[in-house]
Protein backbone atom coordinates (compact mmCIF):
# COMPACT_ATOMS: atom_id res chain seq x y z
CA UNK A 1 0.00 0.00 0.00
CA UNK A 2 1.43 3.36 -0.96
CA UNK A 3 2.10 5.95 1.70
CA UNK A 4 -0.52 8.53 2.66
CA UNK A 5 1.25 11.73 3.62
CA UNK A 6 0.36 14.96 5.40
CA UNK A 7 3.16 17.38 4.57
CA UNK A 8 3.43 20.90 5.95
CA UNK A 9 5.14 23.59 3.93
CA UNK A 10 5.75 26.50 6.28
CA UNK A 11 7.30 28.54 3.46
CA UNK A 12 8.96 31.75 4.78
CA UNK A 13 6.77 32.03 7.87
CA UNK A 14 7.17 31.89 11.66
CA UNK A 15 10.04 32.84 13.93
CA UNK A 16 12.16 30.09 15.48
CA UNK A 17 10.16 30.36 18.73
CA UNK A 18 6.83 30.25 16.91
CA UNK A 19 8.01 27.21 14.99
CA UNK A 20 8.97 25.43 18.20
CA UNK A 21 5.62 26.22 19.74
CA UNK A 22 3.70 25.04 16.68
CA UNK A 23 5.55 21.72 16.60
CA UNK A 24 5.07 21.23 20.34
CA UNK A 25 1.33 21.82 20.05
CA UNK A 26 0.85 19.43 17.14
CA UNK A 27 2.99 16.70 18.68
CA UNK A 28 1.21 17.07 22.04
CA UNK A 29 -1.94 15.79 20.31
CA UNK A 30 -0.39 12.30 20.10
CA UNK A 31 -2.28 11.61 16.90
CA UNK A 32 -2.50 7.96 16.00
CA UNK A 33 -0.39 7.39 12.90
CA UNK A 34 -1.00 4.22 10.91
CA UNK A 35 1.91 2.27 9.42
CA UNK A 36 1.23 3.61 5.93
CA UNK A 37 0.92 7.22 7.16
CA UNK A 38 3.67 9.82 7.21
CA UNK A 39 3.72 13.33 8.64
CA UNK A 40 6.33 15.70 7.25
CA UNK A 41 7.20 19.22 8.36
CA UNK A 42 8.82 21.35 5.65
CA UNK A 43 10.52 24.03 7.72
CA UNK A 44 12.94 26.89 6.92
CA UNK A 45 16.64 25.93 6.82
CA UNK A 46 17.59 27.49 10.19
CA UNK A 47 14.93 25.39 11.96
CA UNK A 48 15.79 21.99 10.47
CA UNK A 49 17.90 20.69 13.35
CA UNK A 50 15.50 21.94 16.02
CA UNK A 51 12.55 20.34 14.22
CA UNK A 52 14.47 17.13 13.68
CA UNK A 53 15.18 16.84 17.39
CA UNK A 54 11.49 17.29 18.19
CA UNK A 55 10.41 14.32 16.05
CA UNK A 56 13.49 12.18 16.72
CA UNK A 57 11.63 9.56 18.75
CA UNK A 58 8.44 9.53 16.72
CA UNK A 59 7.77 6.91 14.10
CA UNK A 60 6.70 8.15 10.65
CA UNK A 61 7.28 11.83 11.46
CA UNK A 62 9.93 13.46 9.28
CA UNK A 63 11.47 16.83 8.60
CA UNK A 64 11.88 18.27 5.14
CA UNK A 65 13.87 21.11 3.65
CA UNK A 66 11.96 23.40 1.29
CA UNK A 67 14.67 23.57 -1.34
CA UNK A 68 18.27 22.65 -2.19
CA UNK A 69 20.73 23.83 -4.81
CA UNK A 70 21.37 22.05 -8.10
CA UNK A 71 25.15 22.03 -7.73
CA UNK A 72 27.13 19.75 -5.49
CA UNK A 73 29.21 22.38 -3.67
CA UNK A 74 31.33 25.43 -4.30
CA UNK A 75 31.15 29.19 -4.70
CA UNK A 76 27.37 29.66 -4.54
CA UNK A 77 26.97 32.14 -1.71
CA UNK A 78 23.78 31.70 0.25
CA UNK A 79 22.79 28.35 -1.24
CA UNK A 80 22.31 25.05 0.61
CA UNK A 81 23.58 21.80 -0.86
CA UNK A 82 22.12 18.32 -0.73
CA UNK A 83 25.28 17.16 1.00
CA UNK A 84 24.66 19.69 3.80
CA UNK A 85 21.12 18.39 4.27
CA UNK A 86 22.38 14.82 4.27
CA UNK A 87 25.00 15.67 6.88
CA UNK A 88 22.26 16.69 9.33
CA UNK A 89 20.19 13.64 8.35
CA UNK A 90 17.25 15.42 6.77
CA UNK A 91 14.77 12.94 5.36
CA UNK A 92 12.92 14.89 2.64
CA UNK A 93 13.36 17.91 0.41
CA UNK A 94 10.65 19.79 -1.46
CA UNK A 95 11.76 20.80 -4.94
CA UNK A 96 10.14 22.66 -7.79
CA UNK A 97 7.51 24.46 -5.78
CA UNK A 98 5.68 26.87 -8.09
CA UNK A 99 6.91 29.80 -6.00
CA UNK A 100 10.48 28.76 -6.72
CA UNK A 101 9.72 28.16 -10.39
CA UNK A 102 8.15 31.63 -10.61
CA UNK A 103 10.35 33.83 -8.39
CA UNK A 104 13.67 32.03 -8.86
CA UNK A 105 13.24 30.90 -12.46
CA UNK A 106 13.69 27.21 -11.68
CA UNK A 107 13.40 25.15 -14.84
CA UNK A 108 12.47 21.52 -15.37
CA UNK A 109 16.10 20.84 -16.25
CA UNK A 110 17.39 22.44 -13.05
CA UNK A 111 14.92 20.29 -11.11
CA UNK A 112 16.14 17.15 -12.83
CA UNK A 113 19.63 18.01 -11.52
CA UNK A 114 18.30 18.53 -8.01
CA UNK A 115 16.53 15.18 -8.22
CA UNK A 116 19.75 13.43 -9.20
CA UNK A 117 21.65 14.98 -6.30
CA UNK A 118 18.93 14.10 -3.79
CA UNK A 119 18.57 10.55 -5.06
CA UNK A 120 22.33 10.19 -4.85
CA UNK A 121 21.85 10.51 -1.09
CA UNK A 122 19.08 8.98 0.95
CA UNK A 123 16.90 12.11 0.83
CA UNK A 124 13.37 11.70 -0.53
CA UNK A 125 12.46 14.40 -3.04
CA UNK A 126 8.96 15.88 -2.91
CA UNK A 127 8.64 17.00 -6.49
CA UNK A 128 6.03 19.69 -7.12
CA UNK A 129 4.19 20.21 -10.37
CA UNK A 130 1.04 22.04 -11.35
CA UNK A 131 -0.43 24.45 -13.87
CA UNK A 132 -1.17 28.19 -13.77
CA UNK A 133 -4.71 29.51 -14.17
CA UNK A 134 -4.25 30.39 -17.86
CA UNK A 135 -3.43 26.76 -18.66
CA UNK A 136 -6.39 25.48 -16.63
CA UNK A 137 -8.67 27.91 -18.46
CA UNK A 138 -7.32 26.73 -21.79
CA UNK A 139 -8.01 23.15 -20.70
CA UNK A 140 -4.43 21.99 -21.38
CA UNK A 141 -3.46 21.16 -17.79
CA UNK A 142 -2.91 17.46 -18.50
CA UNK A 143 -0.34 18.16 -21.21
CA UNK A 144 1.31 20.84 -19.04
CA UNK A 145 1.92 18.59 -16.03
CA UNK A 146 2.90 15.67 -18.26
CA UNK A 147 5.69 17.83 -19.72
CA UNK A 148 6.87 18.76 -16.21
CA UNK A 149 7.17 15.08 -15.31
CA UNK A 150 8.81 14.15 -18.61
CA UNK A 151 11.46 16.84 -18.44
CA UNK A 152 12.38 16.45 -14.78
CA UNK A 153 11.70 12.83 -13.90
CA UNK A 154 11.77 10.58 -16.93
CA UNK A 155 15.53 10.14 -17.01
CA UNK A 156 15.28 8.32 -13.66
CA UNK A 157 15.59 4.57 -13.30
CA UNK A 158 12.55 2.70 -12.07
CA UNK A 159 14.27 2.15 -8.75
CA UNK A 160 14.93 5.88 -8.29
CA UNK A 161 11.50 6.97 -9.45
CA UNK A 162 9.94 4.85 -6.72
CA UNK A 163 11.73 6.99 -4.13
CA UNK A 164 10.08 10.21 -5.34
CA UNK A 165 6.94 11.74 -3.84
CA UNK A 166 4.97 13.90 -6.27
CA UNK A 167 2.92 16.90 -5.17
CA UNK A 168 0.38 18.25 -7.63
CA UNK A 169 -0.31 21.88 -6.79
CA UNK A 170 -2.47 23.88 -9.21
CA UNK A 171 -1.04 27.40 -8.95
CA UNK A 172 -4.51 28.96 -9.03
CA UNK A 173 -5.38 27.13 -5.82
CA UNK A 174 -2.28 28.06 -3.81
CA UNK A 175 -2.98 30.55 -1.05
CA UNK A 176 -6.17 31.65 -2.79
CA UNK A 177 -8.70 29.74 -0.73
CA UNK A 178 -9.84 28.27 -4.05
CA UNK A 179 -9.45 24.50 -3.82
CA UNK A 180 -9.65 22.12 -6.74
CA UNK A 181 -12.87 20.14 -6.53
CA UNK A 182 -12.49 16.50 -5.64
CA UNK A 183 -13.38 15.69 -9.27
CA UNK A 184 -10.66 18.01 -10.60
CA UNK A 185 -8.11 16.64 -8.13
CA UNK A 186 -8.95 13.01 -8.83
CA UNK A 187 -8.94 13.54 -12.59
CA UNK A 188 -5.50 15.10 -12.80
CA UNK A 189 -3.97 12.78 -10.17
CA UNK A 190 -5.24 9.81 -12.19
CA UNK A 191 -3.72 11.42 -15.28
CA UNK A 192 -0.36 11.88 -13.54
CA UNK A 193 -0.43 8.24 -12.48
CA UNK A 194 -1.28 7.14 -16.01
CA UNK A 195 1.65 9.18 -17.36
CA UNK A 196 3.94 7.38 -14.89
CA UNK A 197 2.36 4.03 -15.82
CA UNK A 198 2.95 4.61 -19.53
CA UNK A 199 6.65 5.10 -18.92
CA UNK A 200 7.34 2.83 -15.92
CA UNK A 201 4.43 0.38 -15.83
CA UNK A 202 1.33 0.14 -13.66
CA UNK A 203 3.03 -1.49 -10.68
CA UNK A 204 5.58 1.29 -10.31
CA UNK A 205 2.96 4.02 -10.85
CA UNK A 206 0.78 2.48 -8.17
CA UNK A 207 3.59 2.75 -5.64
CA UNK A 208 4.11 6.49 -6.03
CA UNK A 209 2.42 8.81 -3.53
CA UNK A 210 0.84 11.80 -5.27
CA UNK A 211 -0.10 14.59 -2.87
CA UNK A 212 -2.55 17.38 -3.57
CA UNK A 213 -1.62 20.96 -2.61
CA UNK A 214 -3.59 24.18 -2.89
CA UNK A 215 -5.81 25.51 -0.09
CA UNK A 216 -6.05 22.18 1.74
CA UNK A 217 -7.88 23.00 4.97
CA UNK A 218 -9.17 21.12 7.99
CA UNK A 219 -12.66 21.15 6.49
CA UNK A 220 -11.81 19.82 3.02
CA UNK A 221 -8.90 17.46 3.68
CA UNK A 222 -11.00 14.37 4.30
CA UNK A 223 -12.91 14.71 1.07
CA UNK A 224 -9.78 15.39 -0.99
CA UNK A 225 -7.81 12.57 0.63
CA UNK A 226 -10.64 10.13 -0.03
CA UNK A 227 -10.04 10.36 -3.80
CA UNK A 228 -8.44 7.09 -4.90
CA UNK A 229 -5.43 8.77 -6.52
CA UNK A 230 -4.89 11.49 -3.90
CA UNK A 231 -2.43 10.22 -1.32
CA UNK A 232 -2.50 13.10 1.12
CA UNK A 233 -1.61 16.76 0.91
CA UNK A 234 1.12 19.38 0.82
CA UNK A 235 -0.26 22.14 3.00
CA UNK A 236 0.76 25.79 3.22
CA UNK A 237 -1.43 28.21 5.21
CA UNK A 238 -3.32 25.62 7.25
CA UNK A 239 -0.07 23.98 8.36
CA UNK A 240 0.73 27.10 10.39
CA UNK A 241 -2.16 26.43 12.77
CA UNK A 242 -1.75 23.53 15.19
CA UNK A 243 -5.44 22.65 15.42
CA UNK A 244 -5.96 22.80 11.67
CA UNK A 245 -2.89 20.79 10.76
CA UNK A 246 -3.71 18.18 13.41
CA UNK A 247 -7.13 17.78 11.78
CA UNK A 248 -5.47 17.41 8.38
CA UNK A 249 -3.23 14.65 9.75
CA UNK A 250 -6.29 12.89 11.14
CA UNK A 251 -7.91 13.08 7.69
CA UNK A 252 -5.30 10.71 6.20
CA UNK A 253 -7.01 7.60 4.82
P1 LIG B 1 -1.78 26.80 0.64
O1 LIG B 1 -2.16 25.55 1.39
O2 LIG B 1 -1.54 27.98 1.51
O3 LIG B 1 -2.72 27.07 -0.50
O4 LIG B 1 -0.35 26.49 -0.03
C1 LIG B 1 -0.18 25.32 -0.75
C2 LIG B 1 1.25 25.15 -1.03
O5 LIG B 1 1.84 25.89 -1.77
C3 LIG B 1 1.95 24.06 -0.32
O6 LIG B 1 3.20 23.85 -0.85
Amino acid sequence: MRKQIAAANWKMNLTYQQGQELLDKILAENIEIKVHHEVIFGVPFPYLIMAKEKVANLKNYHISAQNCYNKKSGAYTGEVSVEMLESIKIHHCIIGHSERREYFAESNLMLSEKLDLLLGTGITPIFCCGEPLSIREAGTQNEFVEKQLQESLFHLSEEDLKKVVIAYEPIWAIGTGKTATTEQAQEIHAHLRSVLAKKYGEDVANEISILYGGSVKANNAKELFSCPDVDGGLVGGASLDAVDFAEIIKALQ
Side-chain angles (χ1 to χ4, degrees), residues 9 11 97 99 169 173-176 213-217 234-238:
N9 178 8
K11 308 189 181 183
H97 192 282
E99 288 147 16
E169 301 202 308
I174 295 178
T176 58
S215 299
V216 175
K217 305 287 177 208
L234 180 56
V235 188

Side-chain angles (χ1 to χ4, degrees), residues 84-95:
M84 291 172 190
L85 298 176
E86 187 190 25
S87 70
I88 55 167
K89 301 194 163 47
I90 290 305
H91 214 272
H92 292 74
C93 184
I94 298 169
I95 56 167

Side-chain angles (χ1 to χ4, degrees), residues 198-210:
K198 240 190 300 168
K199 168 86 179 162
Y200 291 95
E202 296 263 336
D203 290 351
V204 174
N206 281 330
E207 278 186 45
I208 312 281
S209 297
I210 307 179

Side-chain angles (χ1 to χ4, degrees), residues 214-232:
S215 299
V216 175
K217 305 287 177 208
N219 63 9
N220 62 21
K222 223 185 178 98
E223 204 184 341
L224 284 163
F225 297 174
S226 66
C227 298
D229 286 293
V230 176
D231 306 310

Side-chain angles (χ1 to χ4, degrees), residues 14-44:
L14 307 176
T15 61
Y16 185 84
Q17 291 74 16
Q18 288 168 334
Q20 282 182 307
E21 204 179 307
L22 176 59
L23 285 172
D24 286 341
K25 277 195 190 155
I26 295 168
L27 300 177
E29 293 247 351
N30 285 320
I31 302 166
E32 192 203 330
I33 303 291
K34 304 218 169 83
V35 275
H36 64 284
H37 288 174
E38 267 186 4
V39 179
I40 299 170
F41 295 100
V43 308

